[in-house]
Amino acid sequence: MSEDGARRESSETDDQQLAAVVAKPRSQVAIESLRAEGVYDDTRSITEWTADSVAVPVTAPPQETQFREVVRQVGERRLRTLDDHLRERGWSDEEIAAAPSSWAVLGSVVLVDIGDSPRPAEVGEALLALHGEAETVLARHGISGEHREPSVEVIAGDGDTETVHTEHGTRYAMDLAEVMFSPGNKAERARMGDIVVADERVLDMFAGIGYFTLPMARAGAQVTAVERNPTAFRFLVENVMLNDVDERVHPYRADCRDVVPGFAEDGRADRVVMGYYEASAPRADDSRAPPDASHEYLDSALDALAPGGVLHMHEATPDALVFDRPIERLEAAATEAGRDVEILDTQRVKEYSEGVAHVVVDARVQ
């Protein structure tokens, strides 16, 4: 329905080009809602309407999505692909072949692995033309450091790296120049919201900005969310309030190994989520462990988990060792703790890097 109670509609023929005008900050939410209504027209471009609004193309006036007004959008049909936009800019077929093949729109920011593409600034401008709701394009160069901090570069747009991304109804506020967000984990985030039971007790050992915490809490779980990166923790707290789950999320800025003893004394968790890739690495005294390998997290997870509880263990695993290595590590840790493991499911989440997969193992621990 119209935000201001007044809808401006044209009475012209059905071949008119309609657009719903929405505020820029909520454009992604509106697009998701319009898609759900079945009226979003993805054959036309989203265009700026005023300084603080965009015109989102629709096939009919929305009935469920909030908007300011419905207008007749005059303009050319959308150039459907990045290749189209680059070709219009005079790029050769060889240059286009080196252009990025994938990217993600996160709120008002386009996040792209630029690779060896020529003229990154032109790629950025083309992506802004392709995604009218976006205002900044960031080239992603990798993740490093103890706090898993991203290395990014603004290649087009106004340079604002703070945004709010909406995914399956969950809202994530973040600064993509300071905290990581993996678009490839979208299905796994949604799965965690589907898999929990209302009021069950969950420990999210590496909560970040709330990647898994938020969908689980929105589904009714009581989540203890632990994050030691101060910037990520700030966004975690903000996102808890943004999603109205403050009564179901208990955030701690700490090392999860320091939280587990008190948590276990207060009654163990029905479910533990280990979303950090290196959390199952061998102990530091194991010669096979890389110099910076995290250790003892798996032991802490088992200490926190109630008998019959479920553990979700994420790992970056060489393709040749999927799923054998993470299962072997889990079973070895459980045996040492005097516990039995039943593997419930395995998931290949995404490609982590060349020859390495991001996987997750779901296990019941007795």
Side-chain angles (χ1 to χ4, degrees), residues 193-275:
D194 293 336
I195 208 169
V196 295
V197 178
D199 294 325
E200 73 175 2
R201 196 175 190 209
V202 179
L203 172 63
D204 188 351
M205 296 178 69
F206 310 94
I209 66 170
Y211 312 110
F212 302 124
T213 287
L214 296 172
M216 290 190 295
R218 291 183 66 240
Q222 294 288 331
V223 186
T224 297
V226 187
E227 176 54 47
R228 68 182 182 183
N229 179 336
T231 303
F233 183 79
R234 174 169 62 86
F235 282 107
L236 169 64
V237 173
E238 179 178 340
N239 287 328
V240 166
M241 303 303 293
L242 188 63
N243 288 274
D244 195 26
V245 291
D246 51 297
E247 293 185 357
R248 293 195 292 276
V249 176
H250 314 283
Y252 288 82
R253 186 190 158 199
D255 186 308
C256 56
R257 291 169 295 188
D258 296 330
V259 174
V260 164
F263 186 85
E265 289 175 8
D266 191 35
R268 291 177 170 179
D270 303 305
R271 189 179 305 272
V272 172
V273 181
M274 301 177 67

Side-chain angles (χ1 to χ4, degrees), residues 289-308:
D292 61 347
S294 301
H295 59 284
E296 296 181 354
Y297 290 119
L298 190 49
D299 294 347
S300 293
L302 293 172
D303 287 344
L305 190 63

Side-chain angles (χ1 to χ4, degrees), residues 88-104:
E88 189 179 61
R89 286 168 166 76
W91 282 45
S92 68
D93 289 343
E94 183 178 356
E95 290 173 322
I96 289 173
S101 59
S102 63
W103 54 90

